[in-house]
Amino acid sequence: MARRKQIYEGKAKILFEGPEPGTIIQYFKDDATAFNNKKHAVLEGKGVLNNRISEYIMLGLERIGVTTHFIRRLNMREQLVRHVEIVPIEVVVRNIAAGTISKRLGIEDGTVLPRSIIEFYYKDDKLGDPLVSEEHITAFNWANPQEIDDMMAVALRINDFLSGLFSGVGIKLVDFKVEFGRQYEGDMMRLIVADEISPDSCRLWDMESGDIMDKDRFRKDLGDVTDAYREVARRLGVLRESENPGQSGPVLVSDNGD
Ligand code: UDP
């Protein structure tokens, strides 16, 4: 196969030029990082699981009318997505206090928030993705007021959709992060959901046991990270029982010709 042109390598994904203009290939690596890259590991099979879980969620969002960059999954680790200009803002929606909101505001982990809270973080690794206000976002032209309104409305719809999806399989959606991109078509521009939505970017707690089923297992050295991701995939029905990425034994079989 001809070598593809790499556009960008991030912490957990690589982007390659796509086969047609306006498309790119998103490759899911097994790398896990936390604490602004200070902690790093390779978790065998994580990329395969996140590719599948994110595909499943993006397709679900399309079904409820939320446009995403996802076009189709190409193979175990790659998906074809629309090329967008990433808005340099991470939108976080929280239902239950955990992580930075607990530390910053002194709210005990696990406290149900009075309502879902949206936060914005400026995407800049050198600065450690600082929390920013709408004033910062508009003053520095990272997004305009209309885009902020759109991102907030879509983030809340995603929260409703994901909360329902996960509660149906016995999982509490504590919080998640979503990114948006601008897609240009002629004179038109629209904001669409980009990046990935997976246990790398959500906090997921088992409803019965309270077990952590997301990247906090890695952040907190709880072990069995990919096992937890695999369980999320299994409950969502994304993996067939025989599929077992990241473990010896049966190899992942695709229904997609890969
Ligand atoms: N998150 C993410 N990428 C980031 C920062 C946060 O996907 O760069 C997700 C994180 O997994 C969690 C939510 O956003 O589901 C809220 O994260 P928080 O602000 O508590 O920060 P963290 O503890 O992840 O540093």
Side-chain angles (χ1 to χ4, degrees):
M1 195 172 72
R3 268 185 79 78
R4 291 171 308 186
K5 187 162 171 232
Q6 184 173 314
I7 300 173
Y8 174 81
E9 175 154 11
K11 286 171 277 192
K13 292 187 293 292
I14 305 174
L15 303 180
F16 296 99
E17 250 175 20
E20 302 124 42
T23 65
I24 55 176
I25 293 169
Q26 181 166 252
Y27 175 99
F28 288 75
K29 301 194 284 185
D30 282 341
D31 298 65
T33 61
F35 311 119
N36 204 15
N37 248 334
K38 287 187 201 74
K39 183 169 178 172
H40 174 261
V42 176
L43 305 171
E44 205 188 327
K46 179 178 80 83
V48 176
L49 291 159
N50 280 354
N51 185 19
R52 284 296 193 93
I53 294 169
S54 195
E55 169 194 23
Y56 182 77
I57 291 173
M58 295 289 180
L59 287 173
L61 289 176
E62 293 281 352
R63 269 199 298 278
I64 62 157
V66 173
T67 312
T68 80
H69 72 160
F70 182 83
I71 301 172
R72 66 175 183 277
R73 187 168 60 80
L74 298 172
N75 54 49
M76 275 165 52
R77 288 190 182 271
E78 294 178 332
Q79 41 185 249
L80 186 67
V81 300
R82 293 180 189 49
H83 191 27
V84 293
E85 172 191 285
I86 291 285
V87 177
I89 297 296
E90 298 190 341
V91 181
V92 168
V93 183
R94 301 180 184 275
N95 301 306
I96 296 172
T100 56
I101 195 174
S102 303
K103 284 189 214 84
R104 187 178 299 115
L105 304 182
I107 304 170
E108 198 186 334
D109 254 35
T111 307
V112 176
L113 297 169
R115 59 181 171 80
S116 302
I117 292 175
I118 301 179
E119 294 175 343
F120 302 109
Y121 293 84
Y122 177 49
K123 269 172 71 71
D124 186 320
D125 281 344
K126 287 194 293 300
L127 300 175
D129 295 348
L131 178 70
V132 292
S133 69
E134 291 183 44
E135 282 284 284
H136 295 122
I137 296 173
T138 52
F140 298 116
N141 268 321
W142 296 324
N144 65 37
Q146 181 63 55
E147 290 175 326
I148 296 176
D149 283 354
D150 289 352
M151 291 192 292
M152 290 175 77
V154 173
L156 289 176
R157 287 194 67 199
I158 298 174
N159 187 44
D160 286 345
F161 170 75
L162 285 183
S163 297
L165 181 76
F166 284 119
S167 78
V169 296
I171 295 173
K172 256 195 279 197
L173 178 67
V174 174
D175 59 33
F176 68 95
K177 182 263 303 182
V178 64
E179 295 187 25
F180 293 86
R182 300 185 182 98
Q183 190 195 11
Y184 294 93
E185 267 174 10
D187 292 347
M188 299 288 287
M189 188 278 286
R190 60 176 182 168
L191 268 190
I192 65 179
V193 173
D195 194 51
E196 71 181 292
I197 301 180
S198 73
D200 268 6
S201 57
C202 301
R203 282 198 170 89
L204 304 169
W205 294 353
D206 182 83
M207 270 179 182
E208 267 179 23
S209 64
D211 281 354
I212 292 172
M213 306 177 76
D214 58 67
K215 201 167 114 178
D216 271 351
R217 296 202 73 84
F218 171 68
R219 295 188 188 96
K220 299 180 174 190
D221 289 321
L222 299 175
D224 301 329
V225 185
T226 43
D227 287 342
Y229 285 34
R230 192 176 300 111
E231 176 61 12
V232 171
R234 193 193 64 76
R235 289 201 201 172
L236 291 175
V238 173
L239 288 187
R240 279 172 261 138
E241 294 301 327
S242 60
E243 293 178 325
N244 220 358
Q247 287 195 334
S248 52
V251 176
L252 183 74
V253 188
S254 166
D255 51 3
N256 219 7
D258 42 273

